[in-house]
Amino acid sequence: MGLLKISICTVCMNRLHHIMQTLPANIENNKDYPEVEFVLLDYNSSDGLEEWVKGNMGTHLKSGVLKYYRTEEPVFFDRTHSRNLLFKLATGEIISNVDADNYTGTGYAAYLNEVFSNNIDVYVVADTKKRYYFLRNAFGRFACKKKDYLEIGGMDETMKSYGSETIDLYERLSNLGRKEYVIRNTNLLKAISHADEERIENEYFLKNIDRFYNKYLSYDSSELLFLFKDHSFEKCKIVPELVETHLPATLLEGSLEKGTWSEDGENVRLNDSKSYKKSDNGKLTEIGNKDGDFYKIDDVRFLQNVAKNYSFIVNNDKLTQNKKDKSLVVNSESFGKGIVTYNFETLVNIS
């Protein structure tokens, strides 16, 4: 049996400090496998990634081992769209997500070839049950057949932020009849440790948040209001999770509202219907409603924690719905669309 072509795929937005450590090492550690390509998608980085690739990776670009793509369309890091675009650019029969902070270890491509050659209907993961905390920086590692990924329509692009997006992907691969195959060799799962805040710092929430308010409902429930710089808003009630999970809370069913907000002097309006009066102490009081006030939260560390947990909670709500529906394909239209430049000069339109 011939060797399978393996695509080791990495998307990067402003993580040059990781890529310059991991990418050269990963190429070196898989050089003995002849049918491997490294696909790097620069998701509109502004930290000098393009210049670093030009100046340091020329030999690998020329040999074709490394393929560099850059898109200048995204303003924020979109966790699912970026990977859908990335995997569409890959040409291998097997695609593997390797995050910018991950080391593949020696012989990772050969390992994947062996797994998929000996197991027809599988997808490969690190540790979906999250039993081993020391592997947490490698939880995003997975591999599957590209044709399987395309058949289920890729990652759910309504899950734009951090949390549960890969679990949803695995659920739908399982619905396709594929079985989970866990990487047992932890030497293939090394990664650079870093703070959780770095995982989400380029995402829509933290880069676009204008104000955050909280309304106390009870000792274990709150109503949250997020006002974003683009004048969109999200409002929801969070309540205790009745099923034991890793989540701190869950959305109250039917409570999530989205729309636009505007401001006129001392008043804030949501969807041109509900009006709130601002107070000097940062309080928002809904006009004509006496069920409590929203209080402005300014603490940066607290907001970072809320951003991470909120995206988990919202994504988990969508994951639960997809599981309930036994969804196979979730993106109603084409997924992973974008315009990219290949190796600094060739424009490619992915539809």
Side-chain angles (χ1 to χ4, degrees):
M1 182 180 294
L3 297 177
L4 297 169
K5 184 171 183 180
I6 310 293
S7 295
I8 296 178
C9 306
T10 301
V11 63
C12 184
M13 188 183 210
N14 297 329
R15 300 281 284 275
L16 172 60
H17 56 292
H18 289 156
I19 282 290
M20 62 195 306
Q21 298 177 69
T22 58
L23 183 59
N26 291 341
I27 293 174
E28 175 66 21
N29 287 331
N30 291 275
K31 65 181 181 181
D32 293 335
Y33 188 81
E35 291 297 320
V36 65
E37 67 172 4
F38 288 80
V39 184
L40 175 61
L41 173 60
D42 179 346
Y43 206 66
N44 204 14
S45 295
S46 58
D47 62 351
L49 175 60
E50 183 176 22
E51 290 73 18
W52 179 83
V53 173
K54 279 182 180 178
N56 295 273
M57 305 303 288
T59 299
H60 299 306
L61 291 169
K62 188 174 181 179
S63 71
V65 170
L66 174 63
K67 296 179 178 178
Y68 172 78
Y69 295 91
R70 176 176 169 85
T71 176
E72 298 187 350
E73 294 177 310
V75 178
F76 310 106
F77 186 68
D78 187 321
R79 198 162 289 269
T80 53
H81 169 266
S82 63
R83 284 168 174 79
N84 284 342
L85 177 57
L86 172 67
F87 297 136
K88 277 187 160 184
L89 293 168
T91 62
E93 298 160 86
I94 306 301
I95 53 174
S96 177
N97 185 69
V98 175
D99 288 340
D101 57 4
N102 273 217
Y103 293 102
T104 64
T106 302
Y108 178 64
Y111 168 81
L112 290 179
N113 177 70
E114 181 180 0
V115 170
F116 284 98
S117 295
N118 295 325
N119 302 272
I120 299 174
D121 295 324
V122 296
Y123 60 93
V124 172
V125 298
D127 178 25
T128 56
K129 303 297 186 296
K130 300 191 175 179
R131 293 159 291 197
Y132 306 111
Y133 189 77
F134 70 92
L135 293 177
R136 63 191 302 266
N137 289 311
F139 284 164
R141 181 78 63 88
F142 70 85
C144 66
K145 293 179 180 178
K146 182 174 179 178
K147 68 178 184 64
D148 289 347
Y149 191 88
L150 296 178
E151 186 170 345
I152 64 170
M155 286 188 171
D156 188 338
E157 292 192 1
T158 65
M159 296 183 176
K160 295 185 176 298
S161 300
Y162 183 67
S164 299
E165 74 283 354
T166 52
I167 303 300
D168 176 72
L169 178 73
Y170 306 154
E171 289 283 343
R172 291 184 290 111
L173 283 169
S174 296
N175 291 343
L176 189 63
R178 307 299 176 253
K179 296 180 178 61
E180 178 187 279
Y181 189 102
V182 179
I183 301 171
R184 302 294 182 188
N185 183 357
T186 57
N187 289 322
L188 304 178
L189 300 172
K190 305 296 184 184
I192 300 169
S193 296
H194 57 85
D196 281 342
E197 289 76 17
E198 195 169 4
R199 303 179 199 281
I200 60 174
E201 65 183 1
N202 291 297
E203 293 185 357
Y204 171 86
F205 190 102
L206 281 183
K207 294 191 77 170
N208 198 40
I209 188 71
D210 185 85
R211 275 166 270 173
F212 164 49
Y213 296 89
N214 178 61
K215 180 195 289 187
Y216 173 84
L217 299 178
S218 70
Y219 75 94
D220 60 2
S221 303
S222 293
E223 187 168 10
L224 309 180
L225 174 61
F226 304 101
L227 302 182
F228 296 103
K229 294 174 185 176
D230 61 2
H231 283 273
S232 65
F233 80 85
E234 294 187 22
K235 186 161 74 78
C236 67
K237 294 177 181 178
I238 56 170
V239 295
E241 177 63 84
L242 298 179
V243 180
E244 186 177 350
T245 69
H246 63 285
L247 296 173
T250 188
L251 291 178
L252 180 66
E253 187 174 356
S255 71
L256 180 60
E257 297 179 46
K258 296 183 179 184
T260 58
W261 67 278
S262 59
E263 192 169 25
D264 181 15
E266 295 183 350
N267 295 321
V268 172
R269 293 176 63 84
L270 304 183
N271 285 337
D272 291 327
S273 56
K274 293 181 180 179
S275 295
Y276 297 81
K277 187 174 182 61
K278 294 188 297 181
S279 300
D280 291 338
N281 61 358
K283 186 172 65 175
L284 275 186
T285 303
E286 186 176 354
I287 298 172
N289 191 335
K290 298 181 179 180
D291 68 350
D293 300 317
F294 283 100
Y295 290 87
K296 189 168 181 276
I297 307 296
D298 291 315
D299 185 88
V300 174
R301 294 284 294 181
F302 184 79
L303 181 60
Q304 289 173 333
N305 195 44
V306 168
K308 181 184 67 173
N309 288 320
Y310 179 67
S311 68
F312 256 115
I313 291 168
V314 172
N315 283 358
N316 193 68
D317 193 60
K318 185 61 165 62
L319 167 64
T320 301
Q321 188 60 52
N322 287 348
K323 289 171 70 173
K324 182 179 177 182
D325 297 340
K326 296 183 179 179
S327 301
L328 185 63
V329 179
V330 290
N331 295 309
S332 57
E333 299 179 0
S334 179
F335 61 96
K337 296 189 289 186
I339 298 174
V340 298
T341 302
Y342 170 58
N343 285 0
F344 319 111
E345 55 186 29
T346 305
L347 208 61
V348 182
N349 190 351
I350 304 297
S351 58

